[in-house]
Amino acid sequence: MHFLDQAKIFVRSGAGGPGAVSFRREKFIEYGGPDGGNGGKGGDIIFEAVAGLNTLIDFRYTQHFRAPRGEGGSGSNRTGAGGDDLVIKVPVGTQIMDEEREEVLLDFTRAGQREVFLRGGDGGRGNASYKTSTNRAPRQHGTGWPYQEAWVWLRLKLLADAGLVGLPNAGKSTFINAVTNAQAKVGAYAFTTTRPQLGVVRHHNREFVIADIPGLIEGAADGAGIGDRFLGHIERCKVLLHLVDANDDDVAESYRIVRDELENYGGGLTDKPVVVALNKIDTLDDELIAALLAELEEASGEEVIAISGAAGTGTDWALDRLLEAIGPEAATVDEDDEGEDSIEWSPV
């Protein structure tokens, strides 16, 4: 499935149906009179967040959404049928923004959240509602309230508990493959990851979601490399895991480059708790590892963990630190629950 995290769409609610102009004319009924019914209400535009979606790719092929209008009223005081509401399903984490992308109009943070975005127009009044003691045969009627329409942007910010950051080829994809069931692409070249990846971690009977985004390089805030457009996917994370490649020429400088880009982006990313890890230590000796750890700790002001995603060294320690930062919000899972394979089959 292709990944798309931004899309522009046009939405329009349904207009209200017109009221009817009708008069009651029946044999043997001495007094007739107006009996035109009201028009039906137009359909609403409703956004609903659903589980199981993690891309906006469907909106690349369908950009126009119009709810049906209400039906007109008719004689015998019959109200016209209302237009059906149009429900647009979006992934959890989607934000609805105005056309200029300056204001967030709706923010969907949980599955099942349902919001009316544009209300359909009310139906017009039939001539029966205009009858008064001095106007016994009114011929006026309401035409129905008009629709509402707008161009909006959909922006997806994936929901994850922890986010991975670092320079390209820092080993982020290898790490997420080692600790989750994700199958992120791994290669010995920069920008192997071209779109965000999500994985579910199970550790000490706890469960949380970790997100991997494409690597940052110096000048990403100005569009260098892939840029910083994917940083929005870690804005909702509770903690960041900053991986630094132990084979870099200057690990302190590698750390500062990424931190500077996070600060330039904003969004409160530099205010989040961070776990700093020196990755790929399986290629170095103990003396060099100790020197690099000291250098990185001085640059970051944090306790640095030595890990190797490829060899599995220190990954449990890193997950312990992430769980500590996430806190009780990490879901508790049954120790014996290992997925569908552990469920006993039953014909009932």
Side-chain angles (χ1 to χ4, degrees):
M1 179 182 293
H2 296 288
F3 181 80
L4 186 70
D5 61 353
Q6 295 185 38
K8 186 179 183 180
I9 64 172
F10 173 81
V11 290
R12 175 189 290 174
S13 63
V21 176
S22 175
F23 294 90
R24 183 180 184 185
R25 298 182 181 90
E26 298 181 48
K27 192 175 182 180
F28 304 122
I29 296 181
E30 182 177 0
Y31 299 105
D35 67 348
N38 299 332
K41 177 183 174 297
D44 297 336
I45 293 290
I46 300 175
F47 286 98
E48 181 181 6
V50 296
L53 290 179
N54 58 5
T55 177
L56 299 174
I57 189 64
D58 291 340
F59 298 100
R60 170 172 290 178
Y61 309 106
T62 304
Q63 290 101 21
H64 293 80
F65 298 86
R66 296 180 177 90
R69 66 173 299 158
E71 299 292 334
S74 57
S76 301
N77 291 308
R78 287 176 293 185
T79 300
D84 293 333
D85 295 336
L86 179 58
V87 180
I88 303 174
K89 296 182 179 181
V90 297
V92 179
T94 300
Q95 292 180 330
I96 313 298
M97 308 184 69
D98 62 5
E99 189 174 4
E100 289 74 28
R101 288 191 278 190
E102 295 178 351
E103 181 182 359
V104 176
L105 306 175
L106 292 175
D107 193 3
F108 295 89
T109 58
R110 67 181 188 279
Q113 184 177 348
R114 189 180 174 104
E115 304 286 349
V116 177
F117 181 64
L118 297 180
R119 188 177 182 278
D122 291 327
R125 294 165 58 189
N127 69 331
S129 66
Y130 288 95
K131 178 181 176 181
T132 66
S133 60
T134 58
N135 185 8
R136 307 296 292 176
R139 293 186 176 274
Q140 67 264 45
H141 70 289
T143 58
W145 290 89
Y147 52 75
Q148 296 178 319
E149 63 181 17
W151 282 96
V152 295
W153 279 92
L154 308 184
R155 181 174 67 179
L156 175 60
K157 292 183 177 181
L158 297 176
L159 295 180
D161 300 299
L164 292 177
V165 296
L167 292 175
N169 213 28
K172 301 186 299 298
S173 296
T174 301
F175 179 85
I176 196 173
N177 287 343
V179 300
T180 76
N181 57 355
Q183 297 180 351
K185 183 178 180 181
V186 177
Y189 54 90
F191 298 113
T192 308
T193 301
T194 58
R195 63 183 181 88
Q197 299 276 354
L198 290 179
V200 179
V201 178
R202 284 193 173 187
H203 186 63
H204 295 327
N205 298 335
R206 306 284 295 282
E207 188 175 272
F208 64 93
V209 178
I210 192 168
D212 174 26
I213 64 170
L216 300 170
I217 64 174
E218 189 171 8
D222 299 321
I226 297 181
D228 62 0
R229 59 166 297 194
F230 293 117
L231 284 177
H233 295 288
I234 60 173
E235 283 187 25
R236 305 179 193 266
C237 293
K238 301 176 182 66
V239 59
L240 301 179
L241 176 59
H242 188 159
L243 297 183
V244 179
D245 189 348
N247 297 301
D248 288 347
D249 295 334
D250 188 339
V251 293
E253 180 64 16
S254 297
Y255 172 83
R256 281 192 290 266
I257 288 174
V258 174
R259 294 298 293 182
D260 288 345
E261 295 305 320
L262 295 180
E263 185 175 359
N264 291 336
Y265 175 82
L269 293 182
T270 54
D271 299 327
K272 294 182 180 296
V274 60
V275 177
V276 183
L278 183 70
N279 196 17
K280 303 183 182 181
I281 61 168
D282 54 304
T283 62
L284 307 175
D285 57 45
D286 293 341
E287 183 178 354
L288 182 55
I289 292 173
L292 292 176
L293 287 175
E295 183 179 349
L296 193 53
E297 286 179 350
E298 182 179 357
S300 64
E302 304 282 348
E303 179 185 3
V304 180
I305 303 172
I307 70 170
S308 170
T313 306
T315 55
D316 286 344
W317 187 13
L319 295 180
D320 288 342
R321 294 281 301 276
L322 293 178
L323 270 178
E324 182 181 349
I326 294 170
E329 296 185 22
T332 302
V333 295
D334 188 352
E335 185 176 6
D336 297 327
D337 183 11
E338 296 296 338
E340 295 181 356
D341 294 340
S342 65
I343 300 176
E344 184 177 354
W345 182 84
S346 172
V348 180

